[in-house]
Amino acid sequence: MLISIGRAVYLPIFTAVALGYLLSLGLARLGSARRPVLAGALRQAQRLPQLLSRYLFLVGIPLCVVNFVRAADLSLSVFIAPLVAWMAMLLAIVITWASLHVSTRVSSPGEKGSLLLLSYIGNTSYLGFPVILFLPQLGPDYFSWAVLYDVLGTFFGAYVLGLVLASMHSGDAPTGVPFWQQGLREVLRNPSLYAFTLGLALRPVPLPRELLTLLGGVAWLSIMLCLVLMGIRLQQLSSWDHLDIAMRPVLIKMLIVPLVIAAGLTAFGVDGPARLVLILQASMPCAVATVVLAERYGLDRDLVVAAVGLSTLLLVFTVPLWVVAFTSWS
């Protein structure tokens, strides 16, 4: 099983991540050389992460959602996913909040706010989607579970609840627009929410084979570009300090909460591929969105960056752990 996971999951994922890392590293070194002849081209090339991120948010990920949701095996039980997502997020917040009240190591509001965000906002799209799709035990048939976990769970948790928590612990909160208006605007601007609805609407509609082939090709290409972007972001992480403090939310996010969720799902009779999808999504690394929130609200950016990098590296060990422990079918 471990060999099949390595070949099916790690090989494509880490090849694409390594490509993004090396690409970003090469651009950084060319930029530091300050060559006048390449100055204009380098300025355009350094916009690549922003352009790629915008493409994936507006086009790539929504097309993935439409493509895979349209073909997925759906039932009403799939809507358990956002409920589990919210249970996992609230559990992480409670555990982190309790740990902050018994520990004296973390004192500043910025650190406390950062730890709360890191403990529950997971990378359930850019990493969660590829892991679910590449795993031979899961694949496209169970992608809709991952989508609902992300779109109706993680995204709301990050840009609604996350804005609330960040503003409560902020030393430098933006002024002018109330956080609830910011959150509502972010949610309504999320194309994946509309893409999921479109995917459902297109399920009974026969589409030309050529269009389906094109849509599938673009969807898989976008998944690989998500991983390339993750490699670029990892190379751009500027600080690996505070690893001792960063380990706390990482363990809560990637080990404690998924174990509790797994026990709860099992107790309520949820098993098989659906249980594995939900456990994997609950155990995804800390999201890059936490860096954005930390910068916007003046939290501890270095702590957040360290936790994002550390948790992403730990994904190598946690995926086989959950797959081996909770694959109960042949």
Side-chain angles (χ1 to χ4, degrees):
M1 183 181 292
L2 292 178
I3 294 176
S4 67
I5 294 173
R7 184 170 57 248
V9 181
Y10 290 149
L11 181 60
I13 285 180
F14 286 102
T15 298
V17 170
L19 177 63
Y21 189 96
L22 293 174
L23 176 62
S24 180
L25 184 63
L27 290 174
R29 289 186 175 179
L30 283 174
S32 64
R34 301 181 183 278
R35 298 178 182 180
V37 178
L38 300 175
L42 282 173
R43 280 196 298 270
Q44 295 301 317
Q46 287 169 351
R47 295 179 57 218
L48 177 62
Q50 290 75 25
L51 294 174
L52 185 55
S53 178
R54 188 166 182 80
Y55 161 77
L56 288 171
F57 180 74
L58 294 175
V59 180
I61 292 295
L63 283 179
C64 288
V65 172
V66 171
N67 179 69
F68 293 117
V69 167
R70 183 186 177 278
D73 183 15
L74 281 178
S75 65
L76 287 177
S77 60
V78 76
F79 289 92
I80 296 173
L83 175 62
V84 172
W86 278 101
M87 291 174 61
M89 291 188 292
L90 294 176
L91 176 62
I93 292 172
V94 169
I95 295 174
T96 305
W97 180 83
S99 70
L100 290 173
H101 279 72
V102 300
S103 172
T104 58
R105 294 189 61 190
V106 179
S107 56
S108 70
E111 284 184 327
K112 292 179 179 179
S114 299
L115 291 174
L116 285 169
L117 295 176
L118 289 166
S119 69
Y120 81 91
I121 303 177
N123 197 337
T124 52
S125 56
Y126 288 0
L127 279 176
F129 289 175
V131 168
I132 301 304
L133 288 169
F134 286 133
L135 265 176
Q137 293 86 350
L138 299 174
D141 286 346
Y142 296 94
F143 185 70
S144 55
W145 291 76
V147 171
L148 281 174
Y149 192 106
D150 176 76
V151 172
L152 297 183
T154 302
F155 194 87
F156 278 82
Y159 292 107
V160 179
L161 181 58
L163 291 173
V164 175
L165 292 174
S167 64
M168 288 172 59
H169 295 84
S170 175
D172 187 25
T175 58
V177 182
F179 63 81
W180 67 268
Q181 290 185 15
Q182 297 178 49
L184 181 61
R185 182 172 59 190
E186 294 286 352
V187 169
L188 293 177
R189 289 171 56 189
N190 181 11
S192 295
L193 189 62
Y194 306 105
F196 185 83
T197 305
L198 178 60
L200 291 178
L202 289 176
R203 285 175 64 81
V205 179
L207 297 178
R209 180 179 301 177
E210 294 78 9
L211 179 59
L212 291 176
T213 301
L214 176 62
L215 184 60
V218 173
W220 281 106
L221 175 62
S222 298
I223 288 294
M224 298 307 294
L225 289 177
C226 286
L227 298 170
V228 171
L229 181 62
M230 278 302 305
I232 293 173
R233 295 302 189 199
L234 284 175
Q235 193 280 325
Q236 293 175 340
L237 295 181
S238 58
S239 174
W240 289 80
D241 297 331
H242 310 294
L243 284 179
D244 53 339
I245 301 177
M247 181 61 74
R248 182 188 303 180
V250 170
L251 290 177
I252 293 172
K253 177 74 192 67
M254 301 185 71
L255 187 62
I256 297 175
V257 168
L259 278 173
V260 176
I261 292 298
L265 291 172
T266 304
F268 281 95
V270 180
D271 57 9
R275 179 178 63 178
L276 181 58
V277 171
L278 297 175
I279 293 171
L280 286 172
Q281 285 290 71
S283 68
M284 281 298 115
C286 306
V288 178
T290 54
V291 180
V292 176
L293 290 171
E295 291 175 341
R296 184 184 299 180
Y297 284 88
L299 305 181
D300 194 327
R301 184 186 184 279
D302 289 342
L303 172 59
V304 170
V305 165
V308 170
L310 176 63
S311 63
T312 303
L313 294 177
L314 287 179
L315 184 70
V316 178
F317 305 100
T318 56
V319 169
L321 170 68
W322 303 122
V323 172
V324 171
F326 295 101
T327 298
S328 57
W329 65 99
S330 58

